[in-house]
PDB file of all heavy atoms in Angstrom:
ATOM      1  N   ALA A 411     132.869  31.634 101.248  1.00  0.00           N
ATOM      2  CA  ALA A 411     134.138  31.127 101.767  1.00  0.00           C
ATOM      3  C   ALA A 411     134.384  31.623 103.185  1.00  0.00           C
ATOM      4  O   ALA A 411     134.828  30.859 104.067  1.00  0.00           O
ATOM      5  CB  ALA A 411     135.280  31.549 100.847  1.00  0.00           C
ATOM      6  N   ARG A 412     134.098  32.884 103.431  1.00  0.00           N
ATOM      7  CA  ARG A 412     134.289  33.426 104.782  1.00  0.00           C
ATOM      8  C   ARG A 412     133.354  32.766 105.782  1.00  0.00           C
ATOM      9  O   ARG A 412     133.731  32.493 106.924  1.00  0.00           O
ATOM     10  CB  ARG A 412     134.055  34.942 104.755  1.00  0.00           C
ATOM     11  CG  ARG A 412     135.144  35.710 104.012  1.00  0.00           C
ATOM     12  CD  ARG A 412     134.782  37.172 103.881  1.00  0.00           C
ATOM     13  NE  ARG A 412     135.808  37.911 103.133  1.00  0.00           N
ATOM     14  CZ  ARG A 412     135.639  39.108 102.620  1.00  0.00           C
ATOM     15  NH1 ARG A 412     134.474  39.727 102.779  1.00  0.00           N
ATOM     16  NH2 ARG A 412     136.614  39.706 101.956  1.00  0.00           N
ATOM     17  N   LEU A 413     132.124  32.506 105.358  1.00  0.00           N
ATOM     18  CA  LEU A 413     131.167  31.870 106.253  1.00  0.00           C
ATOM     19  C   LEU A 413     131.606  30.448 106.591  1.00  0.00           C
ATOM     20  O   LEU A 413     131.489  30.000 107.737  1.00  0.00           O
ATOM     21  CB  LEU A 413     129.784  31.860 105.596  1.00  0.00           C
ATOM     22  CG  LEU A 413     128.593  31.563 106.503  1.00  0.00           C
ATOM     23  CD1 LEU A 413     128.468  32.606 107.602  1.00  0.00           C
ATOM     24  CD2 LEU A 413     127.310  31.500 105.685  1.00  0.00           C
ATOM     25  N   LEU A 414     132.125  29.740 105.598  1.00  0.00           N
ATOM     26  CA  LEU A 414     132.598  28.381 105.839  1.00  0.00           C
ATOM     27  C   LEU A 414     133.828  28.385 106.747  1.00  0.00           C
ATOM     28  O   LEU A 414     133.969  27.521 107.621  1.00  0.00           O
ATOM     29  CB  LEU A 414     132.912  27.710 104.502  1.00  0.00           C
ATOM     30  CG  LEU A 414     132.872  26.180 104.451  1.00  0.00           C
ATOM     31  CD1 LEU A 414     131.568  25.654 105.022  1.00  0.00           C
ATOM     32  CD2 LEU A 414     133.064  25.703 103.030  1.00  0.00           C
ATOM     33  N   SER A 415     134.714  29.349 106.575  1.00  0.00           N
ATOM     34  CA  SER A 415     135.869  29.478 107.470  1.00  0.00           C
ATOM     35  C   SER A 415     135.413  29.797 108.892  1.00  0.00           C
ATOM     36  O   SER A 415     135.995  29.302 109.867  1.00  0.00           O
ATOM     37  CB  SER A 415     136.806  30.582 106.966  1.00  0.00           C
ATOM     38  OG  SER A 415     137.349  30.247 105.711  1.00  0.00           O
ATOM     39  N   LEU A 416     134.380  30.625 109.013  1.00  0.00           N
ATOM     40  CA  LEU A 416     133.835  30.942 110.329  1.00  0.00           C
ATOM     41  C   LEU A 416     133.276  29.693 110.992  1.00  0.00           C
ATOM     42  O   LEU A 416     133.486  29.464 112.191  1.00  0.00           O
ATOM     43  CB  LEU A 416     132.738  31.999 110.183  1.00  0.00           C
ATOM     44  CG  LEU A 416     132.085  32.502 111.466  1.00  0.00           C
ATOM     45  CD1 LEU A 416     133.103  33.223 112.342  1.00  0.00           C
ATOM     46  CD2 LEU A 416     130.930  33.443 111.140  1.00  0.00           C
ATOM     47  N   ARG A 417     132.588  28.843 110.234  1.00  0.00           N
ATOM     48  CA  ARG A 417     132.076  27.593 110.783  1.00  0.00           C
ATOM     49  C   ARG A 417     133.219  26.696 111.237  1.00  0.00           C
ATOM     50  O   ARG A 417     133.135  26.060 112.304  1.00  0.00           O
ATOM     51  CB  ARG A 417     131.212  26.872 109.741  1.00  0.00           C
ATOM     52  CG  ARG A 417     130.752  25.503 110.158  1.00  0.00           C
ATOM     53  CD  ARG A 417     129.855  25.546 111.396  1.00  0.00           C
ATOM     54  NE  ARG A 417     128.524  25.975 111.049  1.00  0.00           N
ATOM     55  CZ  ARG A 417     127.734  26.697 111.834  1.00  0.00           C
ATOM     56  NH1 ARG A 417     128.169  27.099 113.014  1.00  0.00           N
ATOM     57  NH2 ARG A 417     126.524  27.037 111.465  1.00  0.00           N
ATOM     58  N   ALA A 418     134.302  26.645 110.457  1.00  0.00           N
ATOM     59  CA  ALA A 418     135.447  25.829 110.854  1.00  0.00           C
ATOM     60  C   ALA A 418     136.022  26.304 112.183  1.00  0.00           C
ATOM     61  O   ALA A 418     136.368  25.498 113.055  1.00  0.00           O
ATOM     62  CB  ALA A 418     136.520  25.869 109.762  1.00  0.00           C
ATOM     63  N   GLY A 419     136.124  27.620 112.362  1.00  0.00           N
ATOM     64  CA  GLY A 419     136.623  28.147 113.622  1.00  0.00           C
ATOM     65  C   GLY A 419     135.704  27.819 114.786  1.00  0.00           C
ATOM     66  O   GLY A 419     136.172  27.494 115.887  1.00  0.00           O
ATOM     67  N   ASP A 420     134.396  27.882 114.562  1.00  0.00           N
ATOM     68  CA  ASP A 420     133.443  27.550 115.621  1.00  0.00           C
ATOM     69  C   ASP A 420     133.549  26.082 116.021  1.00  0.00           C
ATOM     70  O   ASP A 420     133.415  25.730 117.195  1.00  0.00           O
ATOM     71  CB  ASP A 420     132.016  27.849 115.158  1.00  0.00           C
ATOM     72  CG  ASP A 420     131.742  29.339 115.055  1.00  0.00           C
ATOM     73  OD1 ASP A 420     132.513  30.125 115.645  1.00  0.00           O
ATOM     74  OD2 ASP A 420     130.775  29.720 114.376  1.00  0.00           O
ATOM     75  N   ILE A 421     133.772  25.212 115.031  1.00  0.00           N
ATOM     76  CA  ILE A 421     133.856  23.779 115.321  1.00  0.00           C
ATOM     77  C   ILE A 421     135.078  23.466 116.176  1.00  0.00           C
ATOM     78  O   ILE A 421     135.027  22.626 117.088  1.00  0.00           O
ATOM     79  CB  ILE A 421     133.877  22.984 114.000  1.00  0.00           C
ATOM     80  CG1 ILE A 421     132.503  23.062 113.327  1.00  0.00           C
ATOM     81  CG2 ILE A 421     134.277  21.532 114.235  1.00  0.00           C
ATOM     82  CD1 ILE A 421     132.468  22.476 111.942  1.00  0.00           C
ATOM     83  N   GLU A 422     136.178  24.144 115.914  1.00  0.00           N
ATOM     84  CA  GLU A 422     137.405  23.899 116.665  1.00  0.00           C
ATOM     85  C   GLU A 422     137.398  24.576 118.033  1.00  0.00           C
ATOM     86  O   GLU A 422     138.132  24.148 118.932  1.00  0.00           O
ATOM     87  CB  GLU A 422     138.615  24.396 115.877  1.00  0.00           C
ATOM     88  CG  GLU A 422     139.057  23.456 114.785  1.00  0.00           C
ATOM     89  CD  GLU A 422     140.369  23.885 114.160  1.00  0.00           C
ATOM     90  OE1 GLU A 422     140.556  25.103 113.980  1.00  0.00           O
ATOM     91  OE2 GLU A 422     141.196  23.016 113.869  1.00  0.00           O
ATOM     92  N   ALA A 423     136.629  25.626 118.199  1.00  0.00           N
ATOM     93  CA  ALA A 423     136.645  26.383 119.453  1.00  0.00           C
ATOM     94  C   ALA A 423     136.028  25.567 120.586  1.00  0.00           C
ATOM     95  O   ALA A 423     135.211  24.668 120.349  1.00  0.00           O
ATOM     96  CB  ALA A 423     135.891  27.698 119.279  1.00  0.00           C
ATOM     97  N   PRO A 424     136.398  25.869 121.829  1.00  0.00           N
ATOM     98  CA  PRO A 424     135.760  25.194 122.971  1.00  0.00           C
ATOM     99  C   PRO A 424     134.265  25.478 122.984  1.00  0.00           C
ATOM    100  O   PRO A 424     133.811  26.505 122.481  1.00  0.00           O
ATOM    101  CB  PRO A 424     136.462  25.816 124.186  1.00  0.00           C
ATOM    102  CG  PRO A 424     137.732  26.395 123.659  1.00  0.00           C
ATOM    103  CD  PRO A 424     137.450  26.806 122.244  1.00  0.00           C
ATOM    104  N   PRO A 425     133.471  24.584 123.537  1.00  0.00           N
ATOM    105  CA  PRO A 425     132.016  24.809 123.590  1.00  0.00           C
ATOM    106  C   PRO A 425     131.703  26.118 124.306  1.00  0.00           C
ATOM    107  O   PRO A 425     132.324  26.437 125.324  1.00  0.00           O
ATOM    108  CB  PRO A 425     131.489  23.599 124.380  1.00  0.00           C
ATOM    109  CG  PRO A 425     132.548  22.561 124.244  1.00  0.00           C
ATOM    110  CD  PRO A 425     133.852  23.301 124.141  1.00  0.00           C
ATOM    111  N   PRO A 426     130.778  26.901 123.804  1.00  0.00           N
ATOM    112  CA  PRO A 426     130.436  28.172 124.467  1.00  0.00           C
ATOM    113  C   PRO A 426     129.796  27.934 125.822  1.00  0.00           C
ATOM    114  O   PRO A 426     129.097  26.935 126.037  1.00  0.00           O
ATOM    115  CB  PRO A 426     129.457  28.831 123.487  1.00  0.00           C
ATOM    116  CG  PRO A 426     128.874  27.693 122.712  1.00  0.00           C
ATOM    117  CD  PRO A 426     129.955  26.663 122.611  1.00  0.00           C
ATOM    118  N   GLY A 427     130.035  28.854 126.736  1.00  0.00           N
ATOM    119  CA  GLY A 427     129.429  28.769 128.054  1.00  0.00           C
ATOM    120  C   GLY A 427     127.997  29.245 128.029  1.00  0.00           C
ATOM    121  O   GLY A 427     127.490  29.735 127.013  1.00  0.00           O
ATOM    122  N   PRO A 428     127.300  29.112 129.157  1.00  0.00           N
ATOM    123  CA  PRO A 428     125.901  29.571 129.229  1.00  0.00           C
ATOM    124  C   PRO A 428     125.792  31.067 128.937  1.00  0.00           C
ATOM    125  O   PRO A 428     126.527  31.873 129.486  1.00  0.00           O
ATOM    126  CB  PRO A 428     125.513  29.254 130.685  1.00  0.00           C
ATOM    127  CG  PRO A 428     126.488  28.212 131.139  1.00  0.00           C
ATOM    128  CD  PRO A 428     127.761  28.492 130.409  1.00  0.00           C
ATOM    129  N   GLY A 429     124.898  31.407 128.057  1.00  0.00           N
ATOM    130  CA  GLY A 429     124.687  32.814 127.721  1.00  0.00           C
ATOM    131  C   GLY A 429     125.690  33.387 126.749  1.00  0.00           C
ATOM    132  O   GLY A 429     125.587  34.563 126.380  1.00  0.00           O
ATOM    133  N   ASP A 430     126.663  32.584 126.314  1.00  0.00           N
ATOM    134  CA  ASP A 430     127.665  33.072 125.361  1.00  0.00           C
ATOM    135  C   ASP A 430     127.094  32.943 123.949  1.00  0.00           C
ATOM    136  O   ASP A 430     126.948  31.833 123.429  1.00  0.00           O
ATOM    137  CB  ASP A 430     128.951  32.264 125.498  1.00  0.00           C
ATOM    138  CG  ASP A 430     130.055  32.773 124.583  1.00  0.00           C
ATOM    139  OD1 ASP A 430     129.843  33.808 123.910  1.00  0.00           O
ATOM    140  OD2 ASP A 430     131.130  32.142 124.536  1.00  0.00           O
ATOM    141  N   THR A 431     126.764  34.062 123.350  1.00  0.00           N
ATOM    142  CA  THR A 431     126.139  34.052 122.019  1.00  0.00           C
ATOM    143  C   THR A 431     127.036  34.679 120.957  1.00  0.00           C
ATOM    144  O   THR A 431     126.564  35.011 119.881  1.00  0.00           O
ATOM    145  CB  THR A 431     124.797  34.815 122.063  1.00  0.00           C
ATOM    146  OG1 THR A 431     125.042  36.166 122.510  1.00  0.00           O
ATOM    147  CG2 THR A 431     123.819  34.141 123.013  1.00  0.00           C
ATOM    148  N   ALA A 432     128.332  34.832 121.275  1.00  0.00           N
ATOM    149  CA  ALA A 432     129.225  35.518 120.328  1.00  0.00           C
ATOM    150  C   ALA A 432     129.309  34.779 118.997  1.00  0.00           C
ATOM    151  O   ALA A 432     129.230  35.394 117.927  1.00  0.00           O
ATOM    152  CB  ALA A 432     130.610  35.669 120.946  1.00  0.00           C
ATOM    153  N   SER A 433     129.491  33.448 119.048  1.00  0.00           N
ATOM    154  CA  SER A 433     129.610  32.701 117.795  1.00  0.00           C
ATOM    155  C   SER A 433     128.319  32.758 117.004  1.00  0.00           C
ATOM    156  O   SER A 433     128.328  32.827 115.766  1.00  0.00           O
ATOM    157  CB  SER A 433     129.995  31.250 118.079  1.00  0.00           C
ATOM    158  OG  SER A 433     128.990  30.604 118.840  1.00  0.00           O
ATOM    159  N   MET A 434     127.189  32.744 117.707  1.00  0.00           N
ATOM    160  CA  MET A 434     125.890  32.839 117.034  1.00  0.00           C
ATOM    161  C   MET A 434     125.745  34.196 116.348  1.00  0.00           C
ATOM    162  O   MET A 434     125.249  34.292 115.217  1.00  0.00           O
ATOM    163  CB  MET A 434     124.781  32.638 118.059  1.00  0.00           C
ATOM    164  CG  MET A 434     123.389  32.631 117.460  1.00  0.00           C
ATOM    165  SD  MET A 434     123.126  31.231 116.369  1.00  0.00           S
ATOM    166  CE  MET A 434     121.510  31.643 115.713  1.00  0.00           C
ATOM    167  N   ARG A 435     126.193  35.252 117.006  1.00  0.00           N
ATOM    168  CA  ARG A 435     126.118  36.586 116.407  1.00  0.00           C
ATOM    169  C   ARG A 435     127.011  36.666 115.175  1.00  0.00           C
ATOM    170  O   ARG A 435     126.615  37.213 114.138  1.00  0.00           O
ATOM    171  CB  ARG A 435     126.534  37.641 117.422  1.00  0.00           C
ATOM    172  CG  ARG A 435     125.594  37.790 118.603  1.00  0.00           C
ATOM    173  CD  ARG A 435     126.169  38.765 119.619  1.00  0.00           C
ATOM    174  NE  ARG A 435     125.498  38.649 120.896  1.00  0.00           N
ATOM    175  CZ  ARG A 435     124.380  39.285 121.209  1.00  0.00           C
ATOM    176  NH1 ARG A 435     123.833  40.091 120.332  1.00  0.00           N
ATOM    177  NH2 ARG A 435     123.814  39.125 122.386  1.00  0.00           N
TER     178      ARG A 435
END
Side-chain angles (χ1 to χ4, degrees):
R412 290 174 182 165
L413 195 61
L414 204 51
S415 296
L416 182 64
R417 174 63 77 213
D420 289 342
I421 290 172
E422 281 188 321
D430 183 5
T431 58
S433 62
M434 184 65 186
R435 294 174 196 274

